[in-house]
Amino acid sequence: MLLIKLATKSLLNRKASALLTLFTIAISVMLLMSIERVRVDAKSSFSNTISGTDLIVGARTGDIQLLLSSVFRIGHANNGVSWKSYQYISEQRGVKWAIPMSLGDSHKGLAVLGTNKDYFEHYRFAKKQPLSFSQGHEFNHLFEVVLGAEVANTLGYQLGDEVVIAHGMGNTSFHNHDDNPFKVVGILKPTGTPVDKTLHIPLAAIDAIHGGHAHQHEAAQADANDHDHDHDHDHDHDQHDDVDLVGTPKQITAFLLGFDSPLYTLQVRRNINQYKDEALLAIMPGVTLRELWEMLSIVEKILLLFSIVVVLISLLGMLTSLLSSLNQRRRELAILRSVGARPWHIFTLISVESLLITGLGCIVGIALFYALMLLGADYLQSHAGISLNIALLSSYELMLLAAIMVAGFIVGLIPATRAYFYSLADGMSIKI
Amino acid sequence: MITLENVLFKWHAKQPEPTINITKLDIDQGEHVFLHGPSGCGKSTLLSLLAGVTVPTQGNIQLLGKAINQLSNSKRDRFRADHIGYIFQNFNLLPYLSPIENVTLGCQFSKQRQKNALKNSAAIAAEASRLLTALGLNDALQHQAVAQLSIGQQQRVAAARAFIGSPEIIIADEPTSALDTQNRQAFVKLLFEQANAANSTLIFVSHDETLQTLFTRSISLVELQGGTDATH
């Protein structure tokens, strides 16, 4: 107790350098904790991107490429899946639902996804959470669009606005089809996944933008249903409650499958991968997500390495400041010796100081870390899709802190040992 | 009480002349001894030996009937904490402790001195305050920051620290060298008062021979060195 009191008072007496050292450690702790928290949460956000889907099926490419193009809207799928194959596979035994996905078009750089209504019903993210609407409802007509949360947010769209979809990716597309405006009928709640950055339109509408014969198609549909014939451009959709939103496109980019029981997954996957009529690939999203994360783990490891180096540098800073103060404190040590302090008391005193600095540094670092998390959570959510978990420290993080404390203690042993020998050698004869 | 016999001390083995070479020195309980000599004659080394911080290369040092050169390092540390009060030349105080805390530090490493201190006062801090008052530091000064005290006041705090818990031996290493002449005499008299009150042996080192007359016994280290018998 006495030594802790002495160490505290001695440190307070050297406030400036002690505080500086403390802050260096605090900042490094904050950095390490933040990087680790973002890393862990990025990993979970990442694996939360899609769930509840048993298989993703696309043209034969690499597993990761298919995952990237279908779920993350990154890169292009070179080939598609023929509509015939889609229909065949989706009618297989055990298939509970199939969601066709047609990608490749964009609106102001954001992906446009052509799909069916099952998407809103069966698509799951994170821990099997369904999509839900913050406003409006799913599309019921050909030229209606449902926006992801971020699309609505960044572009400032509201229900009832008209949106023009371009052919191809990118902001400046040569094929702007001004004649095909889509009406915003729904806005999804944020999910922290690429869904937020997606515009969802009926699959049949994709054909409409490309071929421009959607109206014929819809008209044909209308014919078939024996509804009133209206070939007018400003078609009145309200009368078509069961209008075909899927149509019969030649091909789609990929499709998602859900089974009645997960037991079907492996068998259907094998069947698809050996499908004779077309070269197809079926992946299990969870497995491929993990593979993808493994690929990214080198970046993750480098980040971790950097933050560990920063912590080490801060501890070396503490070492420097303790060592350089030691020479000026030989007098203090001699006084302590004169009142009966043993060399190990001196040793403990200096060790306690380094522990106090490291400990307080950790505490301040944690405070800074939480402040940073609170400030940065919204930004990361909206810009990187990483939902930060502002929870108590995990056991892993506590372990990191313990490791820092141990490292601080070990570093502190160096000046402590030095002080120990000073106090043996100097005895009472130190004259400063 | 304090006995040195054939004490030789060399800082390192190849040193041609020993730093300390004392055939015989006896000091009785309660004596006030003035130890003088020019600088470089080995005063500080002798004090380190008497305080048990260093041990002689040869010979025996007995303090209170104990051969402290035969004690282990930690036992010598404990012995010093229990029985010896030490006053440095200057910069005696820890700057981050108040005068009271500096004084109580004197018995913080010794149960025995705490016990002794509690014989005089109800609490250790009260005893520290009592000693400081006796040495002429009023209440206000007792709680001031050490850096705001004059050198003379600091030395009195150091004296109080040496005296708290009534150790048998007080060693003062040129405690007055930073004081002016008037203050020197006053300080020495205060030391005597306290030493008498606790029946402590006082070993006072100085090169200022004007103080010599105040002491009952004076020892020249130069004469003591090299084998002169200084028994009285």
Side-chain angles (χ1 to χ4, degrees):
Chain A
M1 262 333 279
L2 171 67
L3 291 175
I4 294 174
K5 193 184 111 186
L6 284 177
T8 315
K9 294 206 166 182
S10 177
L11 276 179
L12 284 175
N13 190 49
R14 288 172 284 128
K15 245 180 249 139
S17 77
L19 273 182
L20 217 59
T21 313
L22 193 150
F23 270 110
T24 324
I25 292 176
I27 288 169
S28 74
V29 166
M30 177 198 77
L31 203 66
L32 178 71
M33 302 293 281
S34 306
I35 285 177
E36 281 307 285
R37 178 66 66 96
V38 169
R39 190 177 67 89
V40 168
D41 286 351
K43 188 174 178 176
S44 77
S45 286
F46 195 79
S47 44
N48 281 346
T49 310
I50 184 166
S51 72
T53 295
D54 293 312
L55 285 179
I56 301 174
V57 184
R60 191 162 298 164
T61 61
D63 290 11
I64 288 170
Q65 204 186 340
L66 176 57
L67 182 80
L68 284 178
S69 62
S70 61
V71 176
F72 291 94
R73 332 268 192 252
I74 296 171
H76 279 284
N78 292 328
N79 289 303
V81 180
S82 74
W83 188 245
K84 207 181 84 197
S85 303
Y86 163 72
Q87 279 184 315
Y88 175 77
I89 291 165
S90 60
E91 278 157 16
Q92 293 294 302
R93 196 164 65 93
V95 174
K96 191 177 174 191
W97 49 262
I99 300 173
M101 297 172 81
S102 190
L103 287 154
D105 293 318
S106 71
H107 172 75
K108 299 198 174 167
L110 296 165
V112 170
L113 170 68
T115 186
N116 63 8
K117 286 193 190 183
D118 284 348
Y119 181 86
F120 302 105
E121 194 183 332
H122 294 298
Y123 191 89
R124 296 284 185 277
F125 65 98
K127 294 177 181 69
K128 306 217 166 164
Q129 284 164 262
L131 298 175
S132 53
F133 286 84
S134 62
Q135 290 176 61
H137 51 78
E138 58 196 46
F139 45 69
N140 286 316
H141 297 283
L142 196 57
F143 288 98
E144 290 184 344
V145 60
V146 171
L147 304 179
E150 207 190 315
V151 179
N153 213 358
T154 49
L155 299 180
Y157 290 150
Q158 291 178 349
L159 290 186
D161 283 357
E162 298 215 315
V163 175
V164 171
I165 308 283
H167 177 42
M169 296 300 266
N171 234 332
T172 50
S173 174
F174 296 117
H175 303 279
N176 266 351
H177 298 261
D178 286 332
D179 53 341
N180 286 339
F182 283 77
K183 191 173 141 209
V184 177
V185 294
I187 294 170
L188 294 170
K189 282 186 183 158
T191 63
T193 73
V195 170
D196 294 351
K197 295 182 189 170
T198 305
L199 294 91
H200 307 83
I201 61 172
L203 185 60
I206 295 276
D207 257 6
I209 349 177
H210 291 184
H213 49 70
H215 301 292
Q216 290 167 18
H217 165 76
E218 194 169 336
Q221 179 72 22
D223 276 339
N225 289 325
D226 203 23
H227 278 222
D228 58 6
H229 298 222
D230 192 348
H231 294 256
D232 194 286
H233 193 84
D234 292 314
H235 192 96
D236 185 6
H237 297 283
D238 290 333
Q239 295 173 20
H240 300 265
D241 285 325
D242 50 355
V243 66
D244 181 9
L245 296 171
V246 174
T248 50
K250 275 206 196 79
Q251 60 171 26
I252 54 177
T253 312
F255 58 94
L256 309 178
L257 285 180
F259 297 110
D260 293 326
S261 153
L263 294 173
Y264 289 104
T265 311
L266 286 174
Q267 198 200 334
V268 175
R269 180 173 174 232
R270 193 167 55 240
N271 290 344
I272 293 172
N273 288 340
Q274 292 169 356
Y275 188 62
K276 291 242 163 45
D277 295 354
E278 195 176 358
L280 294 180
L281 173 70
I283 57 169
M284 292 188 279
V287 174
T288 311
L289 275 170
R290 221 169 300 132
E291 281 173 17
L292 183 55
W293 187 256
E294 299 279 294
M295 272 177 59
L296 297 176
S297 69
I298 181 79
V299 178
E300 168 198 8
K301 285 193 179 112
I302 287 171
L303 273 179
L304 178 62
L305 189 73
F306 270 113
S307 46
I308 288 174
V309 168
V310 169
V311 171
L312 282 183
I313 289 171
S314 72
L315 290 178
L316 284 180
M318 176 176 78
L319 177 63
T320 317
S321 91
L322 281 179
L323 277 181
S324 65
S325 74
L326 214 53
N327 215 19
Q328 299 153 20
R329 294 173 65 199
R330 289 169 86 153
R331 181 95 230 158
E332 184 184 330
L333 303 182
I335 293 168
L336 287 170
R337 288 279 282 152
S338 80
V339 295
R342 272 148 245 167
W344 75 263
H345 282 130
I346 306 288
F347 181 85
T348 313
L349 181 76
I350 308 290
S351 299
V352 167
E353 276 187 25
S354 63
L355 269 183
L356 277 176
I357 295 180
T358 321
L360 286 174
C362 284
I363 291 170
V364 175
I366 293 166
L368 288 175
F369 158 70
Y370 274 112
L372 190 75
M373 288 295 108
L374 286 173
L375 286 174
D378 282 347
Y379 181 86
L380 270 178
Q381 172 70 58
S382 60
H383 286 77
I386 297 170
S387 57
L388 281 182
N389 193 2
I390 303 178
L392 293 176
L393 296 173
S394 67
S395 59
Y396 169 70
E397 286 162 335
L398 288 174
M399 217 182 67
L400 278 180
L401 286 172
I404 294 173
M405 288 297 293
V406 170
F409 176 70
I410 290 170
V411 163
L413 293 181
I414 298 168
T417 311
R418 194 134 173 208
Y420 180 91
F421 286 112
Y422 273 170
S423 66
L424 279 180
D426 289 347
M428 301 293 157
S429 57
I430 170 94
K431 289 199 167 62
I432 294 175
Chain B
M1 165 69 196
I2 299 176
T3 309
L4 276 71
E5 276 176 333
N6 302 320
V7 170
L8 267 180
F9 181 81
K10 291 179 177 182
W11 283 108
H12 41 87
K14 287 179 182 168
Q15 202 175 324
E17 285 291 307
T19 314
I20 295 290
N21 180 5
I22 296 172
T23 315
K24 184 82 179 158
L25 173 63
D26 271 314
I27 297 168
D28 285 340
Q29 175 79 46
E31 256 191 303
H32 302 168
V33 178
F34 185 78
L35 191 67
H36 62 96
S39 27
C41 71
K43 277 179 297 186
S44 291
T45 312
L46 178 59
L47 294 185
S48 284
L49 287 170
L50 289 176
V53 177
T54 41
V55 283
T57 320
Q58 273 176 41
N60 264 317
I61 299 178
Q62 291 217 339
L63 300 179
L64 310 171
K66 256 193 186 149
I68 65 155
N69 51 301
Q70 284 165 20
L71 296 177
S72 69
N73 287 342
S74 75
K75 281 203 174 127
R76 265 187 285 122
D77 285 327
R78 195 164 306 146
F79 185 90
R80 178 170 64 254
D82 286 345
H83 303 292
I84 299 173
Y86 203 103
I87 307 169
F88 287 99
Q89 190 170 356
N90 48 22
F91 305 118
N92 257 301
L93 307 179
L94 297 185
Y96 47 83
L97 297 181
S98 73
I100 293 272
E101 288 170 323
N102 263 290
V103 175
T104 55
L105 191 67
C107 55
Q108 223 103 65
F109 289 93
S110 161
K111 287 235 164 64
Q112 189 177 328
R113 281 176 73 178
Q114 282 178 22
K115 222 190 291 169
N116 290 346
L118 292 175
K119 277 181 201 159
N120 290 326
S121 304
I124 289 167
E127 172 67 358
S129 177
R130 186 190 70 78
L131 279 167
L132 285 172
T133 312
L135 285 161
L137 261 80
N138 64 31
D139 234 30
L141 289 171
Q142 289 176 18
H143 293 93
Q144 229 164 42
V146 160
Q148 286 171 344
L149 299 180
S150 71
I151 305 267
Q153 288 164 338
Q154 289 188 24
Q155 289 304 72
R156 279 182 267 173
V157 176
R161 187 178 62 209
F163 279 112
I164 194 167
S166 318
E168 289 86 344
I169 302 166
I170 302 287
I171 299 173
D173 182 4
E174 307 211 27
T176 54
S177 63
L179 308 179
D180 55 48
T181 319
Q182 264 190 327
N183 273 318
R184 278 179 203 179
Q185 301 230 345
F187 184 75
V188 172
K189 281 177 183 154
L190 284 172
L191 285 187
F192 284 175
E193 265 174 40
Q194 292 305 314
N196 287 334
N199 192 27
S200 304
T201 307
L202 175 65
I203 299 173
F204 189 100
V205 176
S206 180
H207 58 261
D208 175 10
E209 301 198 3
T210 59
L211 294 171
Q212 193 173 341
T213 52
L214 299 168
F215 287 80
T216 50
R217 186 176 168 201
S218 162
I219 300 170
S220 158
L221 191 53
V222 182
E223 287 170 23
L224 193 61
Q225 290 270 35
T228 316
D229 197 330
T231 0
H232 56 125

